Amino acid sequence: MNYEDICKRVVQNGEPGFAWLENMQGFSRMVDPADNKDHRVKGGNPCLEQSLESYELCCLVETFPQNHTSLEEFKETLKDAFLYAKTVTLGQTHWPESNQVMLRNRRIGCSMSGIAQFISERGLDTLKTWCEEGYKSIQDYDRTYSEWLAIPRSVKTTSIKPSGTVSILAGATPGMHYPIAPYYLRRVRMPKNSHLLTPLRQSGYSISPAVGSEKSTVVVEIPICVGKAIRKLSEVSMWEQLSLAAFLQKYWADNQVSCTVTFDPEKEGGQIPFALQYFQYMLKGVSFLPNRDGVYQQMPYEEISEEQFHQLASRLRPFNLDQVSNEVVDPDKFCDSTQCLRPDFSSSSS
């Protein structure tokens, strides 16, 4: 396929992403022979870590191999993760069409995050071993527990999701992606009247008015360290990011790898069509993001030095939530049957 014309748009704004339906339908892991297990698949979820049939839903669970001291310990976590995800497939939705697909496929996606940290500290060869042995264990669990539950085996079982908040809570880098830097500030916007602000101030976190929304919003700065030895994203080439995605699609993910490749538009933009010619045989999907260096006030992520991190971290004290009360959380709005609940924005217009 000729990718040159469409890649001109990718260089400008990163859109569109790419999905290879033939690979999604024909293959599980790319290291294994074609099996056509997913011949009914019509696409994937928005982040593309799961192939999906029409009406099918995602069922994802996340693990953190970097937080384990041994492969055997990691396998125990995979067992728990598998059982959780498989149990979710026992439930039913309000949609008969979705139930029909879900009950047949029992598709789940056991994912890993902190992959960049794992490679930085233990190496790619160790990751390959953990991927292969972990995948075998999941297939064994699926055989055993599917028979015990008297349900079909899962059509596919493993993914690499992009992650976000979940990986942050575990102190892990998201999915397969590298961080902006080993040390950085994570900024979080909060309402000015939040009951969390008092304990945050008492714990030593820097809090300042949000630029442009000074009357209603503040910004909390959180110093983060993801490992001194890890490379920052700007030091990892487009080709290496693609190669890591292909590695995980080969040895771990029988669903898919969610991968957003950050690239230098000036130095690497012209190479994207050629890269896709190679990786169209190794991946099921990929997206790109041009790295345009822009600096503005209160960016969500901002690189800091090791000295700055230790200086900021030394001011922090344990965070105490005992005094927090009356924190009202607005639940997600949703559609149920013929009725949809919509958020009320009238009170926030001021």
Side-chain angles (χ1 to χ4, degrees), residues 26-65:
F27 291 88
S28 294
R29 293 188 308 166
M30 297 303 278
V31 72
D32 299 319
D35 53 27
N36 296 305
K37 288 166 63 175
D38 255 348
H39 60 92
R40 299 183 182 92
V41 157
K42 299 301 181 184
N45 67 320
C47 295
L48 215 60
E49 67 263 33
Q50 279 203 306
S51 314
L52 296 173
E53 295 183 30
S54 183
Y55 296 106
E56 193 172 11
L57 308 179
C58 288
C59 183
L60 299 165
V61 64
E62 196 164 352
T63 64
F64 307 94

Side-chain angles (χ1 to χ4, degrees), residues 11 236-239 241 262-273:
V11 172
V236 183
S237 72
M238 175 189 77
W239 288 89
Q241 293 172 66
T262 302
F263 67 96
D264 184 321
E266 300 297 328
K267 297 179 180 179
E268 298 175 315
Q271 302 174 30
I272 295 177

Side-chain angles (χ1 to χ4, degrees), residues 3-5 7-8 10-12 238-239 263-277 288:
Y3 295 99
E4 289 187 10
D5 287 341
C7 284
K8 293 176 183 177
V10 173
V11 172
Q12 293 300 314
M238 175 189 77
W239 288 89
F263 67 96
D264 184 321
E266 300 297 328
K267 297 179 180 179
E268 298 175 315
Q271 302 174 30
I272 295 177
F274 305 106
L276 290 173
Q277 291 289 350
F288 292 86

Side-chain angles (χ1 to χ4, degrees), residues 92-221:
Q92 295 195 14
T93 72
H94 298 293
W95 296 92
E97 296 89 347
S98 292
N99 293 336
Q100 182 179 9
V101 179
M102 298 289 289
L103 293 175
R104 168 168 39 84
N105 284 348
R106 304 286 173 170
R107 186 189 308 274
I108 64 175
C110 293
S111 178
M112 295 189 293
S113 273
I115 292 169
Q117 293 162 308
F118 191 100
I119 294 172
S120 298
E121 295 190 16
R122 311 191 200 190
L124 194 64
D125 189 59
T126 302
L127 179 62
K128 177 176 179 289
T129 299
W130 284 41
C131 285
E132 292 182 314
E133 293 300 318
Y135 185 80
K136 290 177 185 177
S137 295
I138 289 175
Q139 305 319 301
D140 289 341
Y141 301 146
D142 196 24
R143 277 188 291 269
T144 299
Y145 291 104
S146 295
E147 181 178 349
W148 180 59
L149 293 167
I151 60 175
R153 290 188 60 188
S154 296
V155 62
K156 288 179 179 175
T157 57
T158 50
S159 302
I160 297 293
K161 62 192 289 286
S163 195
T165 303
V166 176
S167 61
I168 291 173
L169 291 172
T173 50
M176 60 153 281
H177 298 106
Y178 277 78
I180 182 177
Y183 303 93
Y184 61 90
L185 286 178
R186 176 75 168 97
R187 293 190 175 95
V188 180
R189 296 168 67 90
M190 301 182 68
K192 193 174 182 179
N193 60 354
S194 173
H195 295 279
L196 292 171
L197 294 181
T198 296
L200 282 168
R201 286 193 180 94
Q202 292 174 348
S203 295
Y205 289 94
S206 174
I207 301 173
S208 56
V211 175
S213 303
E214 290 84 356
K215 293 183 179 180
S216 61
T217 309
V218 297
V219 173
V220 182
E221 293 185 347

